Amino acid sequence: MTIGHSGVARPALLLLAGERVRLGSITISSGQRMAVRYGAAHGNLSRDGAELFIELIDDKGGTHRIGALKVPYGEFGLAPRHAYFDLSPWMGAQFTVRLVCGAGDANDPRGDWIAIYDLAVGSEERMGALRAMAFRKERIANEIAHFSSVYDHSMYQGSLDRSGSAVPPAECIPLHELLANARATQQQPAPPGRPEFPFPHQLARFPSGAYEYAHHLLGSTLQATAPDFGERLVRAAERLQATPNKPVRILSLCAGAARIEAQFASRVGDRARWTLLDISRDLLKSAALNFPPDQQPRLILADVNEIRDFGEQYDIVMCVSALHHVVELEGVLNFIRDALTDDGEFWSIGEAIGRSGNRLFDEDYRVGNSVFRALPERYRRNRNTGRVDEDLPNVDFSDATFEGIRSDEIEPLLLHRFEPIAVYRRNCFLWRLVDLAYSDNYDLSREGDVLRIHSLVEQELAHFRNGGRPTELHGTFRKRAL
């Protein structure tokens, strides 16, 4: 049925008081939830309103009621409402979903009609796509009717010259005919070849462990390359040399011990002036020791979440793998934008942009966990617990710390304020398989362990190629042009 009282003709499933409907069987997996959009089907519900019950029916006929949604009488009940249910308590179980329409508290069923506009079960990231699939046929018909009407308007006809010879009717070829022809005449494309990975002893420097080695292989195989920040700094210093006594002014936020910054400083010498900001006095003192005596940075002790414009301009503002610890992202990014010169750049180096709390996104976790579960036990031993993990942990560290507190918001907020110059993203799940919890399980002097790492990198590359979501960002940005 179509419900039109909200100004939009919405297709909906209609239930009257006392009616119930089964919607099919689901098997609940990790991270899934249910989203329901519903409301009164008209403005004349009984005075006590109506109620929508959401139930899961198990294979033995047992009923698990997960929601009781009240729909009030009058205009207030007409607006579509949203409800969300966490299904994690039933992970791994199979159920049939049942909806039941009940009368209100006074048990008056007169006029109690509830419209269910959509109901979807899936991961948080997939929820928008799943809900968009509801009433697909009805939406397609509405879409065709809408655009057929709109493009008949004179606003779209003015530039068309329909005079002269008659145009024969256009012929439309159904897509399924093209697909059938393609299947009959074309061969399947060959899968991409396996990369030829160097062994650790073949590299210029023997890697420190599995994490470094796996990421070297990943970076050397991807066609895209990260910005060369050191070379970019050298070029900036050369440009400014045309003006006497004009060094590159650089601010590093959340600098910590500033090891990366000190490496950059060694490349440009006295052509740069460094300012380091961090919340830790001890780390700032340690950072100063990493810099050459004749290139000592200025040190600012501050909580970056409280930063405000202090009247200085910089040619480069950088942040090395630290924005994912920041709560006040909007304020910090606004400060960076205002602190940059007109042609200045913001550098985000090795930033974590995965799901909040240092987690993997659901689909990436599903694939990464299947890779992890296929590993022999010796590679799944967790050095933090001493136990063999059956599944790859996907803990939300932001529950107790600022680790990844808003990491999945970083890139969208950046793009609201800056234009990308060069951006490099990688690493959907590989880092979790060879991080500190598991890296000691691999001995780079053993061929079997090395080949196992090759396999992990290959599977990461295959997932990345198929649309996996990277969790690591390296990028250079300029202020958005006005």
Side-chain angles (χ1 to χ4, degrees):
M1 182 176 177
T2 298
I3 308 298
H5 55 65
S6 64
V8 177
R10 301 174 187 268
L13 170 66
L14 187 65
L15 288 181
L16 281 60
E19 291 185 335
R20 60 188 62 199
V21 62
R22 292 195 178 209
L23 299 180
S25 179
I26 58 170
T27 299
I28 298 172
S29 57
S30 174
Q32 285 194 329
R33 63 176 184 163
M34 178 186 293
V36 184
R37 187 166 54 147
Y38 65 100
H42 58 81
N44 294 312
L45 268 60
S46 59
R47 289 281 178 177
D48 64 336
E51 200 159 8
L52 177 65
F53 301 103
I54 315 292
E55 298 174 342
L56 301 177
I57 312 300
D58 61 33
D59 55 3
K60 297 180 180 179
T63 300
H64 308 263
R65 181 166 288 177
I66 64 172
L69 308 173
K70 294 185 179 297
V71 181
Y73 162 80
E75 293 293 324
F76 188 58
L78 293 176
R81 296 158 175 265
H82 301 263
Y84 302 92
F85 303 98
D86 180 12
L87 300 181
S88 57
W90 299 281
M91 186 175 68
Q94 188 173 30
F95 296 99
T96 298
V97 179
R98 184 168 69 186
L99 305 179
V100 180
C101 180
D105 294 336
N107 203 29
D108 181 358
R110 291 174 296 175
D112 288 353
W113 297 8
I114 294 180
I116 297 94
Y117 300 110
D118 50 58
L119 183 150
V121 174
S123 66
E124 184 176 353
E125 292 99 66
R126 286 281 298 158
M127 194 56 68
L130 292 171
R131 293 175 63 178
M133 296 175 187
F135 298 103
R136 183 172 183 272
K137 290 182 179 179
E138 291 82 357
R139 281 177 157 151
I140 288 175
N142 290 341
E143 189 94 343
I144 292 172
H146 170 70
F147 283 107
S148 295
S149 171
V150 165
Y151 285 108
D152 279 342
H153 193 279
S154 59
M155 183 176 80
Y156 296 100
Q157 305 297 321
S159 61
L160 298 178
D161 182 6
R162 298 186 182 276
S163 61
S165 59
V167 178
E171 180 181 354
C172 300
I173 304 173
L175 176 60
H176 65 81
E177 292 185 10
L178 296 177
L179 294 174
N181 293 336
R183 284 193 294 269
T185 60
Q186 294 181 0
Q187 295 181 343
Q188 289 292 326
R194 297 184 64 179
E196 293 291 333
F197 292 131
F199 278 69
H201 67 274
Q202 295 174 316
L203 301 178
R205 184 179 64 81
F206 198 88
S208 60
Y211 186 92
E212 181 184 346
Y213 179 54
H215 285 84
H216 173 85
L217 299 182
L218 178 64
S220 63
T221 307
L222 292 170
Q223 291 185 351
T225 57
D228 187 336
F229 296 100
E231 182 61 29
R232 201 169 188 88
L233 177 57
V234 169
R235 292 203 304 269
E238 290 172 349
R239 284 197 306 271
L240 291 173
Q241 269 189 321
T243 304
N245 300 317
K246 181 77 171 177
V248 183
R249 296 162 297 175
I250 308 164
L251 169 64
S252 178
L253 299 176
C254 306
R259 293 181 178 86
I260 299 295
E261 293 87 338
Q263 293 174 19
F264 291 162
S266 67
R267 295 191 61 173
V268 291
D270 61 4
R271 294 178 292 173
R273 294 291 180 270
W274 292 86
T275 300
L276 310 180
L277 182 147
D278 198 87
I279 196 172
S280 169
R281 188 186 304 272
D282 289 341
L283 284 176
L284 285 173
K285 290 180 178 180
S286 176
L289 295 175
N290 288 327
F291 277 72
D294 58 345
Q295 298 175 38
Q296 281 297 289
R298 187 169 64 135
L299 308 179
I300 299 178
L301 184 67
D303 179 352
V304 75
N305 290 291
E306 300 173 357
I307 198 166
R308 300 291 184 272
D309 181 13
F310 49 87
E312 296 186 4
Q313 293 273 287
Y314 297 91
D315 303 295
I316 297 168
V317 177
M318 68 170 60
C319 192
V320 181
S321 193
L323 284 178
H324 64 279
H325 291 275
V326 174
V327 175
E328 299 291 342
L329 281 172
E330 293 86 351
V332 171
L333 294 177
N334 288 343
F335 165 81
I336 293 171
R337 177 196 61 203
D338 297 340
L340 285 173
T341 59
D342 289 342
D343 57 352
E345 295 181 3
F346 171 58
W347 294 357
S348 182
I349 304 175
E351 190 55 72
I353 56 169
R355 192 175 182 184
S356 63
N358 239 16
R359 294 173 292 167
L360 301 181
F361 292 107
D362 287 335
E363 180 61 17
D364 306 300
Y365 177 76
R366 184 189 67 79
V367 177
N369 192 43
S370 68
V371 174
F372 180 80
R373 288 174 64 92
L375 291 172
E377 284 191 3
R378 65 177 297 261
Y379 298 113
R380 291 186 281 113
R381 185 168 297 281
N382 190 318
R383 73 184 292 268
N384 299 320
T385 64
R387 297 192 298 268
V388 174
D389 290 332
E390 292 297 322
D391 291 289
L392 186 65
N394 203 29
V395 178
D396 186 347
F397 288 101
S398 66
D399 285 343
T401 71
F402 292 118
E403 185 70 47
I405 188 70
R406 298 178 66 189
S407 53
D408 48 7
E409 300 178 63
I410 291 173
E411 193 169 15
L413 289 173
L414 268 172
L415 296 178
H416 291 167
R417 294 160 176 81
F418 301 91
E419 294 179 352
I421 302 170
V423 174
Y424 172 80
R425 306 174 189 86
R426 68 175 189 177
N427 222 342
C428 304
F429 60 75
L430 178 65
W431 60 283
R432 292 296 308 278
L433 305 182
V434 291
D435 65 8
L436 286 175
Y438 307 108
S439 61
D440 290 347
N441 297 329
Y442 297 87
D443 182 348
L444 297 187
S445 66
R446 296 178 56 179
E447 182 179 6
D449 288 4
V450 171
L451 293 177
R452 182 70 62 179
I453 293 174
H454 290 184
S455 174
L456 298 181
V457 176
E458 286 178 7
Q459 291 174 91
E460 162 74 22
L461 289 166
H463 181 59
F464 179 75
R465 189 181 300 116
N466 289 328
R469 295 180 67 169
T471 63
E472 179 185 336
L473 168 72
H474 303 259
T476 58
F477 302 85
R478 63 168 64 93
K479 292 196 286 189
R480 178 180 284 181
L482 299 179

